[in-house]
Amino acid sequence: MKSFKIFIAVACLGMAAMVTQAFTAIKKEKLTKAVTPGKGFAVIELFTSEGCSSCPSADALVARVEKEVTDKPVYILAYHVDYWNRLGWKDVFSSPEYSARQRQYADWLNLSSVYTPQIVVNGRKEFVGSEEGTLRNAIKSDLKIAEKDELALNNIKVDGDKATIHYTTGAVDNSVLIIALVQKNAATKVQRGENAGRTLSHVQIVTQLKTIALNNSKDGSDNISLPPGFDPKKWELIGFVQNKANGEITGAAKAEFPSVMSAQASN
C-alpha cells in the first residue's frame, strides 16, 4: 500500500509537470505570435536601358527574383530611362518621365549623379542593379518590417481603352498614391549601340505612371489608359504609397486585370 501511494504521488507530480510545460508552451506561442512583425513588403525599382551594356545582367537578376517570390509581397518595377538614347539606340520602352523619377531619387538619397543599372528598394536604399547579394538581403530585411500603410487595389474594370481602379489606403499625410501599368515581359533585338546584335529580355516593364493626390481621402477611384491591343493576361497594376518629402514607400499592392469578357459583363 505504501509503494502504491508513492506511485500515485509520483504520477501526480509528473502530470503537474506536464501541465506546467504545456501551459508554458502555450504562453510562449502566444507571446511569439504577439511580437511577430506585421506583413512586410519590398518594392524593387530598377532603372535600366537597352543602350547600356551593364544593364542586361540586372534585367536577368530581377527576372530570376521575380520567379522566386511569387508567393511573397515583392513588387518589381523596371523603368527604362531615356538618357542612353542619344548614344546610338533608342529604347522603345524609355521615357523622360522615368529619368526624372530617377533624378528625384538622387535628390531624396543625396546622390551626386544617376547611373544604370540602379535599384532602389522601398524608396530608402539604392545600389548597383546587378548586385545579387545586396538585392536579396534588402528583400529579406524589408519583408520583416511591418507595413506602415496598408493599400488595396480592387474592383478593376476594363472599358475600352481605359481601366478603372478603386483603391483604399490608410495613408493620407504628405503622401501620394502611384499606380504603374506594367507589361509582364517583352524582348527586343537591339540593332545599334552598346548591345548591338543582342536580343534582350525584359520583365515588369513600366509603361505608364499615374500619381494620385490623396488629399486626406482614404479611398477613391481613378482611371488609367490601356495600350492598343490590350491583353489582360500580359499586364498588371502595381500601386504604392510614397512620402513626398523623403521618397519612402510605406505600402504597396498588386492587382491583376479581369478578363475582357468578365469586365464587359460587369459594365
Side-chain angles (χ1 to χ4, degrees), residues 218-251:
K218 294 186 177 182
D219 63 82
S221 61
D222 215 310
N223 298 320
I224 195 164
S225 299
L226 302 175
F230 173 74
D231 182 346
K233 295 179 181 179
K234 297 180 180 180
W235 300 79
E236 67 183 17
L237 294 167
I238 294 177
F240 53 95
V241 177
Q242 188 159 41
N243 186 295
K244 293 185 294 184
N246 58 22
E248 180 183 6
I249 294 174
T250 55

PDB file of all heavy atoms in Angstrom, residues 218-251:
ATOM      1  N   LYS A 218      -9.074  58.412 -47.787  1.00  0.00           N
ATOM      2  CA  LYS A 218      -8.521  57.070 -47.633  1.00  0.00           C
ATOM      3  C   LYS A 218      -8.976  56.099 -48.715  1.00  0.00           C
ATOM      4  O   LYS A 218      -8.486  54.980 -48.781  1.00  0.00           O
ATOM      5  CB  LYS A 218      -8.896  56.508 -46.253  1.00  0.00           C
ATOM      6  CG  LYS A 218      -8.253  57.277 -45.108  1.00  0.00           C
ATOM      7  CD  LYS A 218      -8.531  56.619 -43.786  1.00  0.00           C
ATOM      8  CE  LYS A 218      -7.814  57.358 -42.664  1.00  0.00           C
ATOM      9  NZ  LYS A 218      -8.028  56.706 -41.350  1.00  0.00           N
ATOM     10  N   ASP A 219      -9.904  56.515 -49.537  1.00  0.00           N
ATOM     11  CA  ASP A 219     -10.332  55.645 -50.626  1.00  0.00           C
ATOM     12  C   ASP A 219     -10.818  56.495 -51.784  1.00  0.00           C
ATOM     13  O   ASP A 219     -11.150  57.670 -51.633  1.00  0.00           O
ATOM     14  CB  ASP A 219     -11.422  54.672 -50.164  1.00  0.00           C
ATOM     15  CG  ASP A 219     -12.676  55.402 -49.722  1.00  0.00           C
ATOM     16  OD1 ASP A 219     -13.485  55.766 -50.600  1.00  0.00           O
ATOM     17  OD2 ASP A 219     -12.836  55.619 -48.513  1.00  0.00           O
ATOM     18  N   GLY A 220     -10.823  55.884 -52.947  1.00  0.00           N
ATOM     19  CA  GLY A 220     -11.240  56.594 -54.139  1.00  0.00           C
ATOM     20  C   GLY A 220     -11.064  55.719 -55.353  1.00  0.00           C
ATOM     21  O   GLY A 220     -10.784  54.521 -55.247  1.00  0.00           O
ATOM     22  N   SER A 221     -11.208  56.301 -56.521  1.00  0.00           N
ATOM     23  CA  SER A 221     -11.016  55.569 -57.764  1.00  0.00           C
ATOM     24  C   SER A 221     -10.411  56.492 -58.805  1.00  0.00           C
ATOM     25  O   SER A 221     -10.527  57.723 -58.714  1.00  0.00           O
ATOM     26  CB  SER A 221     -12.341  54.984 -58.264  1.00  0.00           C
ATOM     27  OG  SER A 221     -13.275  56.016 -58.517  1.00  0.00           O
ATOM     28  N   ASP A 222      -9.759  55.893 -59.777  1.00  0.00           N
ATOM     29  CA  ASP A 222      -9.142  56.671 -60.851  1.00  0.00           C
ATOM     30  C   ASP A 222      -9.038  55.792 -62.083  1.00  0.00           C
ATOM     31  O   ASP A 222      -9.235  54.565 -62.012  1.00  0.00           O
ATOM     32  CB  ASP A 222      -7.755  57.172 -60.435  1.00  0.00           C
ATOM     33  CG  ASP A 222      -7.451  58.548 -61.016  1.00  0.00           C
ATOM     34  OD1 ASP A 222      -7.635  58.716 -62.238  1.00  0.00           O
ATOM     35  OD2 ASP A 222      -7.034  59.441 -60.257  1.00  0.00           O
ATOM     36  N   ASN A 223      -8.701  56.419 -63.207  1.00  0.00           N
ATOM     37  CA  ASN A 223      -8.595  55.698 -64.477  1.00  0.00           C
ATOM     38  C   ASN A 223      -7.156  55.673 -64.963  1.00  0.00           C
ATOM     39  O   ASN A 223      -6.354  56.560 -64.639  1.00  0.00           O
ATOM     40  CB  ASN A 223      -9.468  56.364 -65.549  1.00  0.00           C
ATOM     41  CG  ASN A 223     -10.932  56.354 -65.199  1.00  0.00           C
ATOM     42  OD1 ASN A 223     -11.436  55.368 -64.668  1.00  0.00           O
ATOM     43  ND2 ASN A 223     -11.623  57.454 -65.498  1.00  0.00           N
ATOM     44  N   ILE A 224      -6.855  54.657 -65.747  1.00  0.00           N
ATOM     45  CA  ILE A 224      -5.552  54.577 -66.381  1.00  0.00           C
ATOM     46  C   ILE A 224      -5.757  54.111 -67.819  1.00  0.00           C
ATOM     47  O   ILE A 224      -6.630  53.269 -68.094  1.00  0.00           O
ATOM     48  CB  ILE A 224      -4.600  53.632 -65.613  1.00  0.00           C
ATOM     49  CG1 ILE A 224      -3.155  53.849 -66.061  1.00  0.00           C
ATOM     50  CG2 ILE A 224      -5.014  52.164 -65.747  1.00  0.00           C
ATOM     51  CD1 ILE A 224      -2.136  53.248 -65.105  1.00  0.00           C
ATOM     52  N   SER A 225      -5.020  54.705 -68.753  1.00  0.00           N
ATOM     53  CA  SER A 225      -5.167  54.363 -70.166  1.00  0.00           C
ATOM     54  C   SER A 225      -4.508  53.021 -70.467  1.00  0.00           C
ATOM     55  O   SER A 225      -3.481  52.674 -69.881  1.00  0.00           O
ATOM     56  CB  SER A 225      -4.544  55.448 -71.044  1.00  0.00           C
ATOM     57  OG  SER A 225      -5.180  56.694 -70.838  1.00  0.00           O
ATOM     58  N   LEU A 226      -5.103  52.289 -71.399  1.00  0.00           N
ATOM     59  CA  LEU A 226      -4.587  50.984 -71.798  1.00  0.00           C
ATOM     60  C   LEU A 226      -4.036  51.056 -73.220  1.00  0.00           C
ATOM     61  O   LEU A 226      -4.523  51.836 -74.046  1.00  0.00           O
ATOM     62  CB  LEU A 226      -5.692  49.933 -71.714  1.00  0.00           C
ATOM     63  CG  LEU A 226      -6.337  49.762 -70.330  1.00  0.00           C
ATOM     64  CD1 LEU A 226      -7.506  48.782 -70.408  1.00  0.00           C
ATOM     65  CD2 LEU A 226      -5.304  49.300 -69.315  1.00  0.00           C
ATOM     66  N   PRO A 227      -3.025  50.244 -73.550  1.00  0.00           N
ATOM     67  CA  PRO A 227      -2.411  50.300 -74.879  1.00  0.00           C
ATOM     68  C   PRO A 227      -3.297  49.640 -75.935  1.00  0.00           C
ATOM     69  O   PRO A 227      -4.174  48.829 -75.605  1.00  0.00           O
ATOM     70  CB  PRO A 227      -1.107  49.514 -74.682  1.00  0.00           C
ATOM     71  CG  PRO A 227      -1.443  48.523 -73.613  1.00  0.00           C
ATOM     72  CD  PRO A 227      -2.376  49.256 -72.676  1.00  0.00           C
ATOM     73  N   PRO A 228      -3.066  49.953 -77.197  1.00  0.00           N
ATOM     74  CA  PRO A 228      -3.803  49.279 -78.276  1.00  0.00           C
ATOM     75  C   PRO A 228      -3.559  47.760 -78.219  1.00  0.00           C
ATOM     76  O   PRO A 228      -2.453  47.315 -77.910  1.00  0.00           O
ATOM     77  CB  PRO A 228      -3.201  49.891 -79.548  1.00  0.00           C
ATOM     78  CG  PRO A 228      -2.633  51.210 -79.109  1.00  0.00           C
ATOM     79  CD  PRO A 228      -2.147  50.988 -77.709  1.00  0.00           C
ATOM     80  N   GLY A 229      -4.583  46.989 -78.518  1.00  0.00           N
ATOM     81  CA  GLY A 229      -4.445  45.540 -78.498  1.00  0.00           C
ATOM     82  C   GLY A 229      -4.224  44.971 -77.110  1.00  0.00           C
ATOM     83  O   GLY A 229      -3.604  43.915 -76.952  1.00  0.00           O
ATOM     84  N   PHE A 230      -4.723  45.655 -76.107  1.00  0.00           N
ATOM     85  CA  PHE A 230      -4.521  45.255 -74.718  1.00  0.00           C
ATOM     86  C   PHE A 230      -4.976  43.818 -74.463  1.00  0.00           C
ATOM     87  O   PHE A 230      -6.092  43.437 -74.790  1.00  0.00           O
ATOM     88  CB  PHE A 230      -5.284  46.213 -73.806  1.00  0.00           C
ATOM     89  CG  PHE A 230      -5.301  45.814 -72.358  1.00  0.00           C
ATOM     90  CD1 PHE A 230      -4.170  45.964 -71.576  1.00  0.00           C
ATOM     91  CD2 PHE A 230      -6.450  45.276 -71.780  1.00  0.00           C
ATOM     92  CE1 PHE A 230      -4.185  45.597 -70.236  1.00  0.00           C
ATOM     93  CE2 PHE A 230      -6.473  44.918 -70.446  1.00  0.00           C
ATOM     94  CZ  PHE A 230      -5.339  45.069 -69.668  1.00  0.00           C
ATOM     95  N   ASP A 231      -4.086  43.014 -73.871  1.00  0.00           N
ATOM     96  CA  ASP A 231      -4.371  41.647 -73.458  1.00  0.00           C
ATOM     97  C   ASP A 231      -4.202  41.583 -71.943  1.00  0.00           C
ATOM     98  O   ASP A 231      -3.094  41.722 -71.436  1.00  0.00           O
ATOM     99  CB  ASP A 231      -3.402  40.669 -74.135  1.00  0.00           C
ATOM    100  CG  ASP A 231      -3.677  39.214 -73.776  1.00  0.00           C
ATOM    101  OD1 ASP A 231      -4.429  38.953 -72.816  1.00  0.00           O
ATOM    102  OD2 ASP A 231      -3.115  38.327 -74.451  1.00  0.00           O
ATOM    103  N   PRO A 232      -5.289  41.398 -71.199  1.00  0.00           N
ATOM    104  CA  PRO A 232      -5.202  41.456 -69.729  1.00  0.00           C
ATOM    105  C   PRO A 232      -4.239  40.453 -69.123  1.00  0.00           C
ATOM    106  O   PRO A 232      -3.722  40.690 -68.024  1.00  0.00           O
ATOM    107  CB  PRO A 232      -6.642  41.187 -69.277  1.00  0.00           C
ATOM    108  CG  PRO A 232      -7.299  40.516 -70.434  1.00  0.00           C
ATOM    109  CD  PRO A 232      -6.655  41.094 -71.661  1.00  0.00           C
ATOM    110  N   LYS A 233      -3.961  39.367 -69.809  1.00  0.00           N
ATOM    111  CA  LYS A 233      -3.053  38.349 -69.269  1.00  0.00           C
ATOM    112  C   LYS A 233      -1.598  38.817 -69.278  1.00  0.00           C
ATOM    113  O   LYS A 233      -0.765  38.277 -68.559  1.00  0.00           O
ATOM    114  CB  LYS A 233      -3.169  37.055 -70.065  1.00  0.00           C
ATOM    115  CG  LYS A 233      -4.532  36.391 -69.956  1.00  0.00           C
ATOM    116  CD  LYS A 233      -4.583  35.123 -70.792  1.00  0.00           C
ATOM    117  CE  LYS A 233      -5.949  34.456 -70.702  1.00  0.00           C
ATOM    118  NZ  LYS A 233      -6.007  33.229 -71.547  1.00  0.00           N
ATOM    119  N   LYS A 234      -1.292  39.814 -70.097  1.00  0.00           N
ATOM    120  CA  LYS A 234       0.096  40.249 -70.273  1.00  0.00           C
ATOM    121  C   LYS A 234       0.438  41.509 -69.475  1.00  0.00           C
ATOM    122  O   LYS A 234       1.567  42.005 -69.556  1.00  0.00           O
ATOM    123  CB  LYS A 234       0.377  40.497 -71.753  1.00  0.00           C
ATOM    124  CG  LYS A 234       0.241  39.240 -72.610  1.00  0.00           C
ATOM    125  CD  LYS A 234       0.523  39.538 -74.070  1.00  0.00           C
ATOM    126  CE  LYS A 234       0.393  38.265 -74.911  1.00  0.00           C
ATOM    127  NZ  LYS A 234       0.661  38.540 -76.356  1.00  0.00           N
ATOM    128  N   TRP A 235      -0.532  42.002 -68.704  1.00  0.00           N
ATOM    129  CA  TRP A 235      -0.337  43.253 -67.984  1.00  0.00           C
ATOM    130  C   TRP A 235      -0.819  43.121 -66.546  1.00  0.00           C
ATOM    131  O   TRP A 235      -1.625  42.238 -66.228  1.00  0.00           O
ATOM    132  CB  TRP A 235      -1.108  44.394 -68.663  1.00  0.00           C
ATOM    133  CG  TRP A 235      -0.690  44.644 -70.076  1.00  0.00           C
ATOM    134  CD1 TRP A 235      -1.057  43.919 -71.173  1.00  0.00           C
ATOM    135  CD2 TRP A 235       0.179  45.664 -70.544  1.00  0.00           C
ATOM    136  NE1 TRP A 235      -0.469  44.443 -72.304  1.00  0.00           N
ATOM    137  CE2 TRP A 235       0.301  45.511 -71.948  1.00  0.00           C
ATOM    138  CE3 TRP A 235       0.855  46.713 -69.923  1.00  0.00           C
ATOM    139  CZ2 TRP A 235       1.059  46.363 -72.729  1.00  0.00           C
ATOM    140  CZ3 TRP A 235       1.626  47.564 -70.703  1.00  0.00           C
ATOM    141  CH2 TRP A 235       1.726  47.386 -72.078  1.00  0.00           C
ATOM    142  N   GLU A 236      -0.330  43.995 -65.677  1.00  0.00           N
ATOM    143  CA  GLU A 236      -0.810  44.063 -64.305  1.00  0.00           C
ATOM    144  C   GLU A 236      -0.650  45.482 -63.778  1.00  0.00           C
ATOM    145  O   GLU A 236       0.004  46.326 -64.414  1.00  0.00           O
ATOM    146  CB  GLU A 236      -0.062  43.071 -63.404  1.00  0.00           C
ATOM    147  CG  GLU A 236       1.401  43.394 -63.196  1.00  0.00           C
ATOM    148  CD  GLU A 236       2.103  42.342 -62.345  1.00  0.00           C
ATOM    149  OE1 GLU A 236       1.566  41.234 -62.192  1.00  0.00           O
ATOM    150  OE2 GLU A 236       3.207  42.641 -61.838  1.00  0.00           O
ATOM    151  N   LEU A 237      -1.233  45.723 -62.633  1.00  0.00           N
ATOM    152  CA  LEU A 237      -1.120  47.021 -61.971  1.00  0.00           C
ATOM    153  C   LEU A 237      -0.371  46.855 -60.661  1.00  0.00           C
ATOM    154  O   LEU A 237      -0.617  45.912 -59.905  1.00  0.00           O
ATOM    155  CB  LEU A 237      -2.511  47.597 -61.683  1.00  0.00           C
ATOM    156  CG  LEU A 237      -3.370  47.963 -62.889  1.00  0.00           C
ATOM    157  CD1 LEU A 237      -4.810  48.209 -62.448  1.00  0.00           C
ATOM    158  CD2 LEU A 237      -2.816  49.185 -63.603  1.00  0.00           C
ATOM    159  N   ILE A 238       0.556  47.764 -60.392  1.00  0.00           N
ATOM    160  CA  ILE A 238       1.238  47.817 -59.106  1.00  0.00           C
ATOM    161  C   ILE A 238       1.057  49.219 -58.556  1.00  0.00           C
ATOM    162  O   ILE A 238       1.328  50.215 -59.238  1.00  0.00           O
ATOM    163  CB  ILE A 238       2.737  47.486 -59.233  1.00  0.00           C
ATOM    164  CG1 ILE A 238       2.922  46.019 -59.650  1.00  0.00           C
ATOM    165  CG2 ILE A 238       3.472  47.761 -57.913  1.00  0.00           C
ATOM    166  CD1 ILE A 238       4.373  45.614 -59.860  1.00  0.00           C
ATOM    167  N   GLY A 239       0.574  49.296 -57.331  1.00  0.00           N
ATOM    168  CA  GLY A 239       0.391  50.583 -56.686  1.00  0.00           C
ATOM    169  C   GLY A 239       1.238  50.679 -55.433  1.00  0.00           C
ATOM    170  O   GLY A 239       1.521  49.669 -54.785  1.00  0.00           O
ATOM    171  N   PHE A 240       1.667  51.886 -55.102  1.00  0.00           N
ATOM    172  CA  PHE A 240       2.428  52.085 -53.863  1.00  0.00           C
ATOM    173  C   PHE A 240       2.220  53.499 -53.339  1.00  0.00           C
ATOM    174  O   PHE A 240       1.983  54.439 -54.100  1.00  0.00           O
ATOM    175  CB  PHE A 240       3.919  51.782 -54.049  1.00  0.00           C
ATOM    176  CG  PHE A 240       4.581  52.499 -55.192  1.00  0.00           C
ATOM    177  CD1 PHE A 240       5.253  53.690 -54.990  1.00  0.00           C
ATOM    178  CD2 PHE A 240       4.564  51.965 -56.474  1.00  0.00           C
ATOM    179  CE1 PHE A 240       5.889  54.350 -56.035  1.00  0.00           C
ATOM    180  CE2 PHE A 240       5.198  52.606 -57.534  1.00  0.00           C
ATOM    181  CZ  PHE A 240       5.853  53.801 -57.310  1.00  0.00           C
ATOM    182  N   VAL A 241       2.284  53.607 -52.022  1.00  0.00           N
ATOM    183  CA  VAL A 241       2.145  54.884 -51.336  1.00  0.00           C
ATOM    184  C   VAL A 241       3.534  55.428 -51.048  1.00  0.00           C
ATOM    185  O   VAL A 241       4.376  54.728 -50.479  1.00  0.00           O
ATOM    186  CB  VAL A 241       1.361  54.715 -50.025  1.00  0.00           C
ATOM    187  CG1 VAL A 241       1.280  56.043 -49.276  1.00  0.00           C
ATOM    188  CG2 VAL A 241      -0.037  54.166 -50.300  1.00  0.00           C
ATOM    189  N   GLN A 242       3.795  56.669 -51.455  1.00  0.00           N
ATOM    190  CA  GLN A 242       5.138  57.239 -51.311  1.00  0.00           C
ATOM    191  C   GLN A 242       5.087  58.589 -50.627  1.00  0.00           C
ATOM    192  O   GLN A 242       4.258  59.449 -50.958  1.00  0.00           O
ATOM    193  CB  GLN A 242       5.802  57.374 -52.676  1.00  0.00           C
ATOM    194  CG  GLN A 242       7.269  57.781 -52.609  1.00  0.00           C
ATOM    195  CD  GLN A 242       8.033  57.427 -53.872  1.00  0.00           C
ATOM    196  OE1 GLN A 242       7.533  57.597 -54.973  1.00  0.00           O
ATOM    197  NE2 GLN A 242       9.247  56.938 -53.712  1.00  0.00           N
ATOM    198  N   ASN A 243       5.992  58.759 -49.661  1.00  0.00           N
ATOM    199  CA  ASN A 243       6.124  60.023 -48.953  1.00  0.00           C
ATOM    200  C   ASN A 243       6.743  61.063 -49.889  1.00  0.00           C
ATOM    201  O   ASN A 243       7.812  60.839 -50.467  1.00  0.00           O
ATOM    202  CB  ASN A 243       6.996  59.824 -47.709  1.00  0.00           C
ATOM    203  CG  ASN A 243       7.065  61.055 -46.844  1.00  0.00           C
ATOM    204  OD1 ASN A 243       7.578  62.090 -47.236  1.00  0.00           O
ATOM    205  ND2 ASN A 243       6.566  60.944 -45.621  1.00  0.00           N
ATOM    206  N   LYS A 244       6.095  62.205 -50.018  1.00  0.00           N
ATOM    207  CA  LYS A 244       6.569  63.233 -50.946  1.00  0.00           C
ATOM    208  C   LYS A 244       7.833  63.933 -50.464  1.00  0.00           C
ATOM    209  O   LYS A 244       8.567  64.511 -51.266  1.00  0.00           O
ATOM    210  CB  LYS A 244       5.465  64.274 -51.168  1.00  0.00           C
ATOM    211  CG  LYS A 244       4.250  63.746 -51.893  1.00  0.00           C
ATOM    212  CD  LYS A 244       3.249  64.852 -52.198  1.00  0.00           C
ATOM    213  CE  LYS A 244       2.631  65.427 -50.934  1.00  0.00           C
ATOM    214  NZ  LYS A 244       1.584  66.442 -51.235  1.00  0.00           N
ATOM    215  N   ALA A 245       8.104  63.882 -49.167  1.00  0.00           N
ATOM    216  CA  ALA A 245       9.251  64.606 -48.619  1.00  0.00           C
ATOM    217  C   ALA A 245      10.548  63.825 -48.731  1.00  0.00           C
ATOM    218  O   ALA A 245      11.601  64.406 -49.015  1.00  0.00           O
ATOM    219  CB  ALA A 245       8.986  64.955 -47.151  1.00  0.00           C
ATOM    220  N   ASN A 246      10.497  62.506 -48.508  1.00  0.00           N
ATOM    221  CA  ASN A 246      11.754  61.740 -48.484  1.00  0.00           C
ATOM    222  C   ASN A 246      11.782  60.528 -49.405  1.00  0.00           C
ATOM    223  O   ASN A 246      12.786  59.838 -49.487  1.00  0.00           O
ATOM    224  CB  ASN A 246      12.078  61.290 -47.056  1.00  0.00           C
ATOM    225  CG  ASN A 246      10.978  60.440 -46.442  1.00  0.00           C
ATOM    226  OD1 ASN A 246      10.175  59.834 -47.141  1.00  0.00           O
ATOM    227  ND2 ASN A 246      10.937  60.404 -45.117  1.00  0.00           N
ATOM    228  N   GLY A 247      10.671  60.247 -50.091  1.00  0.00           N
ATOM    229  CA  GLY A 247      10.646  59.148 -51.047  1.00  0.00           C
ATOM    230  C   GLY A 247      10.359  57.785 -50.460  1.00  0.00           C
ATOM    231  O   GLY A 247      10.264  56.800 -51.199  1.00  0.00           O
ATOM    232  N   GLU A 248      10.199  57.683 -49.150  1.00  0.00           N
ATOM    233  CA  GLU A 248       9.954  56.372 -48.541  1.00  0.00           C
ATOM    234  C   GLU A 248       8.619  55.803 -49.017  1.00  0.00           C
ATOM    235  O   GLU A 248       7.607  56.490 -49.063  1.00  0.00           O
ATOM    236  CB  GLU A 248       9.932  56.481 -47.021  1.00  0.00           C
ATOM    237  CG  GLU A 248       9.680  55.143 -46.339  1.00  0.00           C
ATOM    238  CD  GLU A 248       9.572  55.245 -44.832  1.00  0.00           C
ATOM    239  OE1 GLU A 248       9.582  56.377 -44.310  1.00  0.00           O
ATOM    240  OE2 GLU A 248       9.477  54.191 -44.174  1.00  0.00           O
ATOM    241  N   ILE A 249       8.635  54.527 -49.382  1.00  0.00           N
ATOM    242  CA  ILE A 249       7.421  53.827 -49.783  1.00  0.00           C
ATOM    243  C   ILE A 249       6.885  53.091 -48.563  1.00  0.00           C
ATOM    244  O   ILE A 249       7.597  52.283 -47.955  1.00  0.00           O
ATOM    245  CB  ILE A 249       7.701  52.872 -50.949  1.00  0.00           C
ATOM    246  CG1 ILE A 249       8.098  53.687 -52.193  1.00  0.00           C
ATOM    247  CG2 ILE A 249       6.479  52.008 -51.253  1.00  0.00           C
ATOM    248  CD1 ILE A 249       8.543  52.847 -53.370  1.00  0.00           C
ATOM    249  N   THR A 250       5.646  53.364 -48.202  1.00  0.00           N
ATOM    250  CA  THR A 250       5.104  52.874 -46.933  1.00  0.00           C
ATOM    251  C   THR A 250       4.014  51.819 -47.089  1.00  0.00           C
ATOM    252  O   THR A 250       3.528  51.273 -46.100  1.00  0.00           O
ATOM    253  CB  THR A 250       4.543  54.055 -46.123  1.00  0.00           C
ATOM    254  OG1 THR A 250       3.578  54.760 -46.932  1.00  0.00           O
ATOM    255  CG2 THR A 250       5.654  55.014 -45.713  1.00  0.00           C
ATOM    256  N   GLY A 251       3.625  51.525 -48.307  1.00  0.00           N
ATOM    257  CA  GLY A 251       2.627  50.499 -48.551  1.00  0.00           C
ATOM    258  C   GLY A 251       2.581  50.181 -50.030  1.00  0.00           C
ATOM    259  O   GLY A 251       2.917  51.029 -50.865  1.00  0.00           O
TER     260      GLY A 251
END
